[in-house]
């Protein structure tokens, strides 16, 4: 069994925390945990906007706290994000996520990220074989 504490990770075990100016993500499970997915808690700053396209991964995201919106850039459709809403990028959908208030999201990636990925110019993370 694997047990990890988000509060300890944010406080002391900073090797599991990845961030840029607009978001911070604690990677609770990574590829080397051998679960077949990675599991992250991501904090997106109030007022920030992010365009991502995870060409090499499927991702599902559950909003735990905060408000914002997500636009599917293929259809132009925008959905409100509030606690309780989940979105799944089942078509590797290119999207823009906006945080009106700070968003706290639980995210799952398949295949799992390894922990070293940063967003590339096109908004994707490298495929596992490229890492
Ligand atoms: C909300 C969202 O797309 N999170 C992606 C995961 C986060 N950027 C990370 O852990 O890399």
């Amino acid at each position: 069994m694997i047990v990890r504490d988000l509060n300890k990770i944010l406080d002391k075990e900073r090797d599991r925390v990845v961030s840029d100016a607009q978001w911070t993500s604690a990677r609770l499970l990574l590829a080397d945990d051998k679960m077949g997915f990675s599991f992250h808690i991501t904090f997106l700053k109030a007022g920030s906007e992010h365009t991502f396209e995870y060409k090499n991964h499927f991702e599902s995201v559950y909003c735990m706290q905060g408000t914002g919106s997500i636009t599917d850039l293929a259809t132009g459709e925008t959905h409100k994000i509030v606690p309780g809403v989940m979105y799944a990028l089942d078509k590797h959908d290119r999207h823009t996520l906006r945080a009106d208030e700070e968003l706290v999201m639980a995210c799952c990636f398949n295949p799992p990220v390894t922990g070293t990925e940063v967003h590339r110019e096109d908004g994707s993370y490298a495929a596992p074989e490229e890492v």
Side-chain angles (χ1 to χ4, degrees):
M1 187 186 292
I2 300 167
V3 178
R4 297 201 171 111
D5 180 339
L6 174 66
N7 297 308
K8 284 190 191 147
I9 290 171
L10 291 174
D11 191 29
K12 294 193 224 74
E13 296 161 25
R14 299 289 298 183
D15 53 318
R16 292 193 160 270
V17 179
V18 179
S19 50
D20 79 0
Q22 302 299 327
W23 58 265
T24 295
S25 188
R27 272 83 182 267
L28 299 184
L29 288 172
L30 285 168
D32 63 2
D33 291 310
K34 306 266 187 283
M35 294 289 291
F37 57 89
S38 56
F39 183 63
H40 320 191
I41 303 295
T42 302
F43 302 81
L44 302 134
K45 277 200 182 156
S48 66
E49 186 174 297
H50 312 260
T51 296
F52 297 136
E53 182 179 5
Y54 295 113
K55 293 179 182 171
N56 301 307
H57 299 83
F58 294 111
E59 186 196 20
S60 65
V61 178
Y62 176 78
C63 177
M64 299 193 296
Q65 198 179 304
T67 58
S69 62
I70 184 167
T71 301
D72 179 337
L73 294 176
T75 63
E77 207 176 343
T78 296
H79 307 268
K80 241 179 126 45
I81 301 286
V82 294
V85 172
M86 185 275 312
Y87 62 86
L89 305 170
D90 63 327
K91 298 180 190 68
H92 306 285
D93 317 68
R94 186 170 176 79
H95 61 284
T96 297
L97 181 62
R98 283 173 222 86
D100 299 333
E101 298 169 0
E102 183 191 45
L103 287 170
V104 184
M105 312 290 247
C107 319
C108 250
F109 277 76
N110 167 26
V113 307
T114 64
T116 57
E117 291 87 346
V118 288
H119 288 102
R120 301 186 294 189
E121 195 74 352
D122 64 358
S124 73
Y125 283 150
E129 58 275 15
E130 296 175 71
V131 175

